[in-house]
Amino acid sequence: MFGELIPYIAPTVVLLLVLASAIKILPEYERGVVFFLGRFQGVKGPGLVIVIPGIQQMVRVDLRVIVLDVPSQDVISRDNVTVRVNAVLYFRVVDPERAIIRVEDYHSATSQLAQTTLRSVLGKHDLDEMLSERDKLNSDIQDIIDAQTEEWGIKVANVEIKHVDLNESMIRAIARQAEAERERRAKVIHAEGELQASKKLVEAAEVMSANHGSMQLRYLQTLADMSNSNASTIVFPLPLELVKGFIEPKTSKDGTDPDLETKG
């Protein structure tokens, strides 16, 4: 009985192997690009896919978002400052057919394109723009890479610059620049305060000049404020209006000096 089945064992094993190699199961996030005798036949999946061995070939393509770490690049900015910049790129395949047929290795091609684009875009900006306008630079790099990878069936979701590394001498120069900028702002604010105070003093002088009594009250208020301090000596200017009566010579009704008449 067993001897009669021996001739069928080999064909059965071959058939099982053929069926095992022909049956492909693709998860939800994968697609299969199928070629029939070397020619593109279609995109299959997800689920169960039958591929005839030797006649059909299938290339799996992952449709999930791929995180690509762009290596550090030496960039010379527009103001001739050398920095090292690295970034991260998020992309996914939206057209499996073009991703397999139009480019040999879309992952490597996207990585090389991201590196060259990062150097070329950042080289057109100053160092200050790299540090302060990072969102704009991210958007510019994303638009350039996305426009070039569209032919490959790839969509760039986002680009983020992670680090901008400077050497020690440049860090010290930036610190000195920031300190000088803070000093400049402090001087400008102080000058603006002096200007506003001078304008208010002019307005107060005009109000006080209209009424001499207000000037006397202001002097008395100042004396009261100074008396509250612990100073032992107070130097206070005396208005000429207060001593004017003591300084002017006494004249009689006819306009002559009575002291001179007495002496005569």
Side-chain angles (χ1 to χ4, degrees):
M1 183 67 179
F2 181 75
E4 296 178 356
L5 297 177
I6 293 177
Y8 301 98
I9 293 177
T12 303
V13 172
V14 173
L15 179 62
L16 293 176
L17 292 176
V18 170
L19 291 176
S21 61
I23 296 175
K24 307 292 183 181
I25 299 177
L26 299 178
E28 184 67 31
Y29 55 84
E30 283 187 352
R31 297 294 184 272
V33 180
V34 180
F35 296 90
F36 182 79
L37 296 178
R39 297 181 62 87
F40 172 74
Q41 184 179 11
V43 179
K44 305 295 183 179
L48 179 64
V49 178
I50 303 298
V51 178
I52 302 175
I55 300 178
Q56 292 179 322
Q57 297 84 30
M58 186 183 71
V59 181
R60 294 173 179 262
V61 180
D62 197 329
L63 301 183
R64 292 176 294 182
V65 175
I66 300 175
V67 182
L68 177 63
D69 189 9
V70 182
S72 298
Q73 303 294 313
D74 292 329
V75 179
I76 299 177
S77 64
R78 191 171 59 180
D79 52 351
N80 295 326
V81 178
T82 302
V83 296
R84 292 184 63 85
V85 182
N86 61 347
V88 60
L89 176 69
Y90 300 88
F91 71 95
R92 62 186 180 91
V93 178
V94 294
D95 191 339
E97 175 188 354
R98 289 189 292 176
I100 298 301
I101 297 177
R102 300 292 179 88
V103 62
E104 180 181 1
D105 185 355
Y106 64 87
H107 191 279
S108 177
T110 305
S111 176
Q112 295 297 325
L113 179 61
Q115 296 177 37
T116 56
T117 305
L118 182 65
R119 290 195 300 267
S120 62
V121 171
L122 296 184
K124 299 177 182 178
H125 295 79
D126 296 334
L127 178 61
D128 293 340
E129 296 177 353
M130 294 183 191
L131 300 177
S132 61
E133 300 181 2
R134 188 169 296 184
D135 293 338
K136 181 178 180 300
L137 295 178
N138 292 337
S139 178
D140 293 342
I141 297 173
Q142 176 183 351
D143 294 340
I144 294 174
I145 299 177
D146 191 30
Q148 299 188 34
T149 56
E150 184 180 1
E151 183 68 19
W152 304 339
I154 294 174
K155 173 64 178 176
V156 178
N158 193 14
V159 177
E160 291 290 340
I161 298 175
K162 294 195 297 184
H163 298 292
V164 178
D165 297 329
L166 303 172
N167 52 36
E168 294 296 331
S169 60
M170 184 55 60
I171 293 176
R172 290 193 296 269
I174 293 176
R176 290 195 299 269
Q177 179 183 359
E179 184 178 358
E181 179 66 19
R182 288 192 295 268
E183 292 179 356
R184 183 188 67 83
R185 292 179 182 178
K187 291 180 180 179
V188 170
I189 294 174
H190 180 71
E192 291 178 352
E194 292 292 337
L195 177 61
Q196 295 177 3
S198 62
K199 291 180 179 179
K200 294 299 180 181
L201 289 175
V202 170
E203 294 177 2
E206 292 177 354
V207 173
M208 291 182 180
S209 62
N211 190 350
H212 296 287
S214 61
M215 181 63 73
Q216 306 301 326
L217 292 176
R218 183 59 184 166
Y219 273 109
L220 294 175
Q221 181 64 39
T222 305
L223 282 174
D225 295 338
M226 296 174 64
S227 64
N228 294 329
S229 62
N230 297 326
S232 58
T233 302
I234 297 177
V235 179
F236 189 79
L238 187 64
L240 293 178
E241 289 79 1
L242 296 179
V243 297
K244 188 175 181 180
F246 301 98
I247 297 176
E248 293 180 352
K250 297 179 181 180
T251 57
S252 60
K253 294 180 180 181
D254 56 358
T256 60
D257 191 348
D259 295 335
L260 295 176
E261 292 179 356
T262 304
K263 293 180 181 178

